[in-house]
Structures are given as structure tokens and as C-alpha cells.
Amino acid sequence: QEYNDAAMTDHPAAPMPAMGYSSSFASPAAVSWNPTTPSILTFTRSKDRGMCRLPANETVNVATAVIYDTKFGDFEASTILELLDARSIHSGLDDNEKDLLQLSRMYRAILESYLEGRDQDGNMDDDGNTSEVLAIMETFMYLCEVFFYDQQNESVTSGLVRFLRMKLLEPTEDLSGIMESDEPEIEGGTNDGNSHLTPFWRVVRQLCVRGYTMDAWSVLSYHSLCRSDDPELVEGFALLKKLMESAPLPGGIEASDDLEEKSTYTQIDDLSSVIGSASKSRTGRDWDHNLHSAESHWNEWAQLVNHASSGASRNRSDYTSLTKLLHVVPQIKSCVLQVLNGTASPESHSHWSEALLVELLYKNPSIPAENISRRAEIYINMYHELNEEGKTMKCLLQSILQIMQFDAGSAVLSLNSFAQERSSMDTASSICHVLTALLCDLMYLSGSITKDSHGVN
């Protein structure tokens, strides 16, 4: 009632909260409303901008975020309601049906839908800051799923590989204009080594670096010498194909392996059916659910790659065909074999995440989760000067490292501080603060932030 009185005093036109709250602390656990006039909905400014710490006897498992006074339209109101509806449905499920991973993915799907609609409608703030913040929040939420919510997976490697490929790397070049050529490997540039690769070879290497070895072979199979009359060259390509198509890599070896199944929803009934079901985007790959088997298969495959690489370089009799192929097509060594056997230099990559991907895929896929942040930090420092980076990149990199260090509290505070500084006071800024609250809720439910924590958490 204290909150309701304050809301009516400060904002007589503000809608009354429809849900009560525990009297043991000063802010509501949740607020819902009937948006009869969504274009003039307002949130009451919080007097205390700090995060609430729950008393020892408090049972409400949600942390609140500061929500500033702002007016917003139907699109923003419906998005916030969808987010709160998703949480409400999840809260009403039996404990054995609750799935934080699926709930987080639903939040991201709602946010992505909002960003797409906001962009298509031209409903952007002048400088685009809020959309930039929301995009970073979506990336942040994805990485939290890998390290905090996906309890069924035995290793974070597969999830982290998919995250790096989907969220931090640009799409590969479009080769549609050159693949019909009789010699696509020489189209679009010179063909004189790794430093001046043609588009064809750049894409082959990029796909191998990202672990898409099946897709890399699909491109490589268009090489003009795959149709050669020389049986040794054909045999060499066949051996290469076998290595690339049999790679037991975490995250899968095709870009299609990364595609998450997103449920379509237009109303609350659809949300209910999705959140109450199992996470369909989970796979049955060994790296997710049978780590011992995955490691065994990977070790066998890595030995084959090393034998092929060393055998070809030493001109061993059982690798004569591959030796000849590397002599005729030297780009295969730098663009394929050196990547697959993990000997590609980190400096040869275009982004720190590529260097980390090569380590996760081809050097140490069994790396303990607690050691990943140190490896990531080494590669980030190799490619970025954090003190000289722009605020957006610095916030993103800082949050990534904090999540990898399992420091959920610091990560949320960094993101919240960035959102308050960068997001415009436009119609979308309220969504930033609602998402911060939902993030805190997810982290509390997953045990990443506890009500008994001290300091930052």
C-alpha cells in the first residue's frame, strides 16, 4: 500500500499495480497492469536507484531494477507484456517442468522480434543508442544461458562455440557470383598465398576456423581440380573430404547446426505451450550429453588429421596423393590443414573470437569452464586495447569476461550502468530496465546471484 500511495501521489494518472508485494521490503516484486491506454502508460520513478537486497526472511525470488518515468506506445507496451506473460507462465509451472534455459530463450525471441519490428517501422531513436543497448543485452542473455542456465550439458564448449559463431562473427562472404565459374578458386583476386587469398579461399578458411568443416568442404568441392583427370589429385581430395566431413567438433560442423528453433507466438496460449515444453534447440550431440565419448572420438579424429598433415609434409608413401595435392594447391595447407590440426597462428585470424574458436575446436575442446575466461582474456588483449575501445565494445568485452568468470553480479551491474548511460529516454528505454529485472530474476533462480550474497552480488 505504501508503494501504491506513492505512485498515486507522484503520478495521479498512473495505473494502479494489479499485484501486491511483500511488506518486508520497499519495492514491489512485480507490477502488472491493464493497458487500456498504453500510449500514456508510465512507470513510477524509484527513489532508490540501487538494487534491492532481499531480507533473510524474504521468499520472493526476483530482484527489481530501476524503471524511469517514460511514455511509450502500443508496440513497447505489448513487448513488455509478452515478457511478463512469459515469466508469469513459467512461475506457474510445476518445479519439474520449469526450464530457465527455455525461459531465457523466449525472452530473447521476444526481444529479437521487437528489434526487428522497431527497425522495420523506422521507430528508431535519433542516435540508435537504445537499440544498440538492447542488442548487447540480447547477446549478454545468450552467454548467460551457456554459463548459468544450461544445467543438462556436461560441458560449456558446444554452447560457447555456437555463441561465438552466431553473435560475434560477421557472416562469410557471398560467393554466389563466382561459384559458377570453371575456376572459382582464382576469381576475384590474386592466388599467391595466404596473405592475398581470393574470396574462395577466404571463405574456405573462415568456415574451417568456425568449425563448419562440412560447409567448408561443400565450397572446396567446387575447386576445378576436384574434376581433374589425375587420379592422385582426386584421391587427395577424397582423403581431405573424409577428414572434413567426419570431424566430431563441439557445436556441429554445419551452419545449420547453429539454428535455434524459435517458436512462433502471437498470444498467451502460444507462449504457454512453448515454455511448458522441453528445450527443442538442445541437441543429442556427445559434447552436450556424453563428454567421455565425445573426447574419445575427437582424439581419434585429431590423430588422423595430424598423421595426414605430417605424412603429407614428409612425403610418406601412404599419403602420396595428399602430398601431391598440397604441392599443386598450397592453399589447402594454410586454409584447411593448419586450422584443423590447431597450428594456425592466432595472429592470422581477424577477430579474437576466431582465435578462441580454434582453441575450443581443434586444440582443447575439453577445457574446464573455469579456465575459459583466461584464454579469452589473452586473445582479447591480443586484438583489443580495452582502455582505448569505445564504450559499447568495452562494455560488451567486459561483460563477456565477467560472465565467463561466473561473476554474475558484476556483469549485471556493468550492463545496467551501460544501459543507463547509453539508452535514450525514448519509448524503448523502459524495455532495457524490464530486461534488467528479468535477468536478475533468472540469475537468482539459477543460483548465480543469491539473496545472502555480499559485495557486488
Side-chain angles (χ1 to χ4, degrees):
Q1 187 61 41
E2 178 183 345
Y3 177 83
N4 293 345
D5 290 344
M8 294 304 292
T9 299
D10 293 345
H11 296 277
M16 289 285 286
M19 294 178 61
Y21 69 99
S22 171
S23 60
S24 60
F25 74 118
S27 296
V31 178
S32 63
W33 61 88
N34 179 13
T36 54
T37 54
S39 61
I40 60 169
L41 283 176
T42 61
F43 282 115
T44 304
R45 184 186 300 276
S46 172
K47 296 179 180 178
D48 178 12
R49 296 193 178 190
M51 292 176 61
C52 298
R53 183 182 173 196
L54 303 177
N57 62 347
E58 181 54 60
T59 58
V60 177
N61 54 5
V62 61
T64 60
V66 181
I67 301 178
Y68 294 93
D69 299 295
T70 184
K71 295 182 178 181
F72 52 100
D74 293 356
F75 194 24
E76 286 69 32
S78 63
T79 299
I80 290 177
L81 285 172
E82 281 187 278
L83 291 167
L84 297 182
D85 284 340
R87 180 185 180 275
S88 177
I89 294 170
H90 181 269
S91 299
L93 296 174
D94 294 336
D95 289 343
N96 61 344
E97 295 179 314
K98 291 182 178 179
D99 186 342
L100 296 181
L101 178 62
Q102 188 66 17
L103 178 59
S104 179
R105 285 174 173 167
M106 180 55 66
Y107 288 158
R108 287 200 295 117
I110 294 171
L111 177 56
E112 288 176 355
S113 177
Y114 168 78
L115 287 172
E116 290 173 4
R118 179 175 161 88
D119 193 15
Q120 292 172 3
D121 292 346
N123 187 25
M124 296 281 289
D125 46 283
D126 293 339
D127 54 13
N129 281 346
T130 301
S131 292
E132 182 181 62
V133 171
L134 289 173
I136 287 182
M137 294 187 81
E138 194 273 334
T139 301
F140 180 99
M141 294 170 74
Y142 190 154
L143 191 58
C144 286
E145 292 169 11
V146 174
F147 282 86
F148 297 134
Y149 313 144
D150 199 353
Q151 303 299 322
Q152 293 191 16
N153 285 355
E154 297 182 28
S155 168
V156 302
T157 307
S158 284
L160 182 55
V161 165
R162 296 184 193 114
F163 167 80
L164 294 172
R165 297 194 297 206
M166 295 179 67
K167 291 300 176 182
L168 298 187
L169 293 175
E170 295 293 328
T172 57
E173 296 178 57
D174 183 7
L175 298 181
S176 58
I178 68 173
M179 295 306 280
E180 299 302 321
S181 169
D182 291 336
E183 295 180 299
E185 66 272 13
I186 67 173
E187 294 290 332
T190 60
N191 202 26
D192 56 357
N194 190 38
S195 60
H196 298 90
L197 295 174
T198 63
F200 178 92
W201 287 111
R202 283 200 299 270
V203 170
V204 169
R205 189 179 191 281
Q206 288 171 353
L207 291 172
C208 287
V209 164
R210 300 176 190 200
Y212 297 143
T213 55
M214 181 79 80
D215 296 335
W217 170 253
S218 295
V219 175
L220 190 56
S221 66
Y222 281 83
H223 194 287
S224 59
L225 291 182
C226 278
R227 301 177 295 277
S228 171
D229 294 331
D230 187 329
E232 281 193 310
L233 293 181
V234 173
E235 183 181 343
F237 273 114
L239 177 58
L240 202 59
K241 176 183 179 182
K242 180 179 179 180
L243 291 175
M244 297 173 75
E245 291 189 341
S246 64
L249 303 178
I253 60 175
E254 297 179 86
S256 58
D257 291 329
D258 285 341
L259 298 178
E260 293 180 284
E261 295 182 21
K262 293 181 181 179
S263 303
T264 57
Y265 51 88
T266 56
Q267 55 186 355
I268 191 65
D269 291 339
D270 294 320
L271 282 172
S272 180
S273 64
V274 171
I275 294 177
S277 63
S279 299
K280 296 180 180 180
S281 59
R282 288 182 179 143
T283 71
R285 300 187 193 96
D286 285 348
W287 284 106
D288 290 327
H289 304 302
N290 192 342
L291 190 57
H292 178 74
S293 175
E295 290 172 341
S296 177
H297 290 146
W298 185 89
N299 285 328
E300 292 175 2
W301 176 82
Q303 286 182 354
L304 289 175
V305 173
N306 289 332
H307 288 163
S309 301
S310 61
S313 63
R314 296 173 184 174
N315 198 20
R316 280 172 39 185
S317 59
D318 48 345
Y319 290 104
T320 302
S321 61
L322 188 57
T323 300
K324 182 173 183 178
L325 179 61
L326 294 181
H327 178 73
V328 176
V329 190
Q331 291 82 9
I332 290 177
K333 181 177 180 179
S334 60
C335 296
V336 180
L337 288 180
Q338 286 184 348
V339 177
L340 268 58
N341 64 22
T343 60
S345 169
E347 290 80 4
S348 65
H349 306 306
S350 61
H351 195 269
W352 70 266
S353 58
E354 287 190 342
L356 182 58
L357 270 172
V358 168
E359 177 154 347
L360 294 173
L361 292 165
Y362 303 113
K363 293 182 181 180
N364 189 11
S366 303
I367 183 173
E370 59 270 18
N371 294 344
I372 290 176
S373 65
R374 178 55 185 156
R375 303 306 302 163
E377 187 173 14
I378 289 173
Y379 294 129
I380 287 174
N381 290 334
M382 188 180 297
Y383 287 85
H384 298 273
E385 290 292 339
L386 288 182
N387 293 332
E388 299 178 6
E389 287 289 350
K391 291 183 179 179
T392 300
M393 179 59 70
K394 186 175 182 179
C395 172
L396 179 60
L397 295 176
Q398 184 180 45
S399 297
I400 286 173
L401 288 176
Q402 288 168 335
I403 295 171
M404 289 179 174
Q405 294 162 357
F406 296 93
D407 189 356
S410 294
V412 170
L413 288 178
S414 296
L415 184 66
N416 186 53
S417 175
F418 175 76
Q420 290 188 34
E421 180 179 348
R422 296 287 289 173
S423 62
S424 307
M425 292 304 294
D426 70 341
T427 59
S429 60
S430 295
I431 298 179
C432 293
H433 302 296
V434 170
L435 282 170
T436 305
L438 295 175
L439 267 169
C440 290
D441 184 37
L442 282 169
M443 289 185 174
Y444 180 89
L445 293 173
S446 69
S448 306
I449 295 178
T450 69
K451 65 184 179 183
D452 297 322
S453 297
H454 295 281
V456 171
N457 278 345

